[in-house]
Amino acid sequence: MKNTWDIFCSVVDNYGDIGVTWRLARQLVAEHGQAVRLWVDDLRAFVRLCPDADAQADSQWRQGVEVRAWHRDWRPVEPADVVIEAFACHLPPAYVEAMALRPGSLWLNLEYLSAEDWVAGCHGLASPQSNGLSKYFFFPGFGDDTGGLLRERDLPATRQVFQADRQAQAAFLLGLGVQRRPDARLISLFSYENPALGGWLQRLSEEAEATQLLVPEGRVLGDIETWLGTDGLRAGDCHQRGALGIHVLPFVEQDDYDRLLWCCDFNVVRGEDSFLRAQWAARPLLWHIYQQEEGAHWAKLEAFLDLYLADLDADAAAALSAFWRAWNAGEALAPAWPAVQRAWPALSRHAEHWARQWAARGDLAAKLVQFCTTRL
Ligand code: TRH
């Protein structure tokens, strides 16, 4: 059934809000034939993910999605069949009034991904609103009783073909200005600031094994500059310190960011969307979680670790969790790193197994379409 969809995205900070909604919008069009409008209140963030886009356009078509500028002074439109407010952003009041006058619109709040137990109990619940409408809570998650994980249908197959093709990887990296060294381990780094980063970089620079660290332009560059004793790092820069080569990369569109993750042996990721993409990359990862007030993010981090490490051998599980916890607490990283390296074979096998296991389940867009079809 073809329905119209309005997805509202308020860019709070960074790229996670637009990253998730843009990905979802594209998939709803490409795989489910839905008609999707994506309302974005900061098109500059969108342009980072979709460089062809126009940050000034009120309306533009990108990959089959109608992308609309969400202005403060809202100009009335006919509400869609399915209305998604992403991450509890507030819909324009006039739009909500119009929904109340148009029976049949389905109103959903798409929540953040979490592995916490309570998610299954809250997924799909309806919350009656004062104007007579109901708003449903749609929770991504890891269980069958959640909204599932955002994943394109062909992603595992596309990833496997690319990971089996060293030449394609080398050509891709060259396009980003990186000459891959055959003897070097490849690590990508897309994290928030971390004052303890220098200790890990120092360790990598002193190891026998060479490392190429690939760093997309972003918030962590300041910590790298501090360690290098330089400033003004920008895409294209490359610095060698002992065994460690640091390459600063441009911020690329989402599909290329996937390719980058697929090339690497280890990916440091953050927030929500890159965190999930690194899981689909089937390589060991570190998650720098988005910090919340009063440390609320720790329960989320531990819930994921419990799930992720459940069927990993005890030594590998202890090694990875110690490194993750140190990173997220801003504590020294070098002491935790050797155990991660010793656990490498187990961590690599596990990352493959993890990606395969979750790719066999229903994905978020499919579950969303199914959820709406039964209610419209
Ligand atoms: O950017 P993030 O930290 O985003 C968020 C937001 O801060 C949000 O408010 C918060 O609530 C949420 O985290 C938990 O991290 P995230 O989610 O990984 O989003 C980054 C997006 O940028 C993701 O879609 C991948 C994309 N990306 C590219 O497209 N190209 C790139 O080169 C890189 C590095 C990332």
Side-chain angles (χ1 to χ4, degrees):
M1 186 163 73
K2 181 166 181 166
N3 288 304
T4 57
W5 297 60
D6 273 331
I7 302 178
F8 285 86
C9 171
S10 173
V11 178
V12 177
D13 57 5
N14 306 315
Y15 302 103
D17 310 289
I18 185 62
V20 169
T21 50
W22 169 232
R23 190 182 294 292
L24 173 64
R26 289 194 288 154
Q27 195 186 350
L28 287 169
V29 171
E31 295 180 16
H32 300 279
Q34 304 297 301
V36 183
R37 274 191 303 213
L38 174 62
W39 297 89
V40 186
D41 68 352
D42 180 357
L43 284 171
R44 288 165 310 175
F46 175 59
V47 169
R48 294 298 304 277
L49 304 192
C50 180
D52 295 341
D54 178 353
Q56 308 303 327
D58 265 353
S59 169
Q60 56 193 308
W61 286 88
R62 297 289 158 200
Q63 301 184 35
V65 177
E66 185 183 359
V67 181
R68 300 287 296 263
W70 177 4
H71 297 292
R72 271 169 194 275
D73 55 333
W74 178 254
R75 280 163 251 161
V77 295
E78 174 77 8
D81 301 325
V82 183
V83 180
I84 297 184
E85 54 176 47
F87 311 123
C89 69
H90 298 291
L91 298 184
Y95 187 92
V96 177
E97 279 166 31
M99 278 166 71
L101 296 172
R102 179 198 189 270
S105 276
L106 189 64
W107 184 3
L108 300 158
N109 180 23
L110 176 66
E111 294 284 349
Y112 289 111
L113 171 64
S114 174
E116 288 164 287
D117 286 343
W118 54 263
V119 164
C122 297
H123 172 63
L125 291 184
S127 156
Q129 306 292 299
S130 56
N131 59 4
L133 294 173
S134 275
K135 178 158 73 176
Y136 291 88
F137 292 95
F138 199 91
F139 279 88
F142 291 88
D144 288 334
D145 40 10
T146 71
L149 300 169
L150 199 50
R151 173 184 50 78
E152 297 79 3
R153 195 182 290 146
D154 296 336
L155 187 72
T158 315
R159 189 259 305 166
Q160 278 164 11
V161 168
F162 189 77
Q163 284 182 335
D165 187 342
R166 297 282 290 189
Q167 273 187 341
Q169 292 174 43
F172 168 73
L173 290 170
L174 213 48
L176 295 179
V178 178
Q179 178 90 47
R180 186 178 196 161
R181 285 179 52 176
D183 58 328
R185 160 178 62 195
L186 228 49
I187 299 180
S188 80
L189 171 59
F190 177 55
S191 76
Y192 306 114
E193 296 81 357
N194 183 348
L197 187 75
W200 184 50
L201 300 181
Q202 187 63 34
R203 171 108 210 173
L204 292 175
S205 73
E206 290 165 359
E207 281 177 347
E209 188 180 355
T211 298
Q212 285 179 291
L213 186 70
L214 312 183
V215 193
E217 279 184 314
R219 290 174 52 176
V220 77
L221 284 187
D223 295 309
I224 296 181
E225 287 170 354
T226 304
W227 182 71
L228 285 171
T230 176
D231 54 22
L233 281 180
R234 60 187 67 241
D237 289 351
C238 180
H239 292 262
Q240 190 72 37
R241 294 284 188 279
L244 174 64
I246 298 177
H247 305 257
V248 183
L249 306 188
F251 199 94
V252 291
E253 56 186 334
Q254 279 183 326
D255 293 350
D256 278 343
Y257 181 59
D258 273 339
R259 289 185 191 96
L260 175 66
L261 297 171
W262 300 344
C263 286
C264 288
D265 302 299
F266 186 67
N267 291 301
V268 178
V269 287
R270 71 187 205 192
E272 171 149 340
D273 193 52
S274 60
F275 167 52
L276 188 53
R277 302 315 279 187
Q279 293 172 59
W280 294 135
R283 296 279 160 84
L285 70 144
L286 173 131
W287 182 25
H288 195 174
I289 194 169
Y290 184 82
Q291 295 210 352
Q292 290 170 274
E293 278 169 26
E294 291 167 21
H297 55 284
W298 280 103
K300 197 168 159 176
L301 184 84
E302 293 298 335
F304 180 77
L305 277 174
D306 282 350
L307 192 66
Y308 188 70
L309 303 178
D311 49 7
L312 192 60
D313 77 65
D315 287 346
L320 195 71
S321 55
F323 191 58
W324 282 38
R325 289 186 187 121
W327 189 293
N328 280 286
E331 290 168 0
L333 298 167
W337 181 239
V340 173
Q341 286 178 294
R342 281 195 299 277
W344 208 263
L347 292 173
S348 298
R349 277 194 306 275
H350 182 64
E352 271 285 351
H353 168 73
W354 179 262
R356 210 170 327 111
Q357 169 189 346
W358 293 108
R361 313 277 183 100
D363 69 274
L364 185 134
K367 285 190 160 199
L368 196 51
V369 170
Q370 192 183 26
F371 184 91
C372 295
T373 307
T374 55
R375 284 168 183 79
L376 278 170

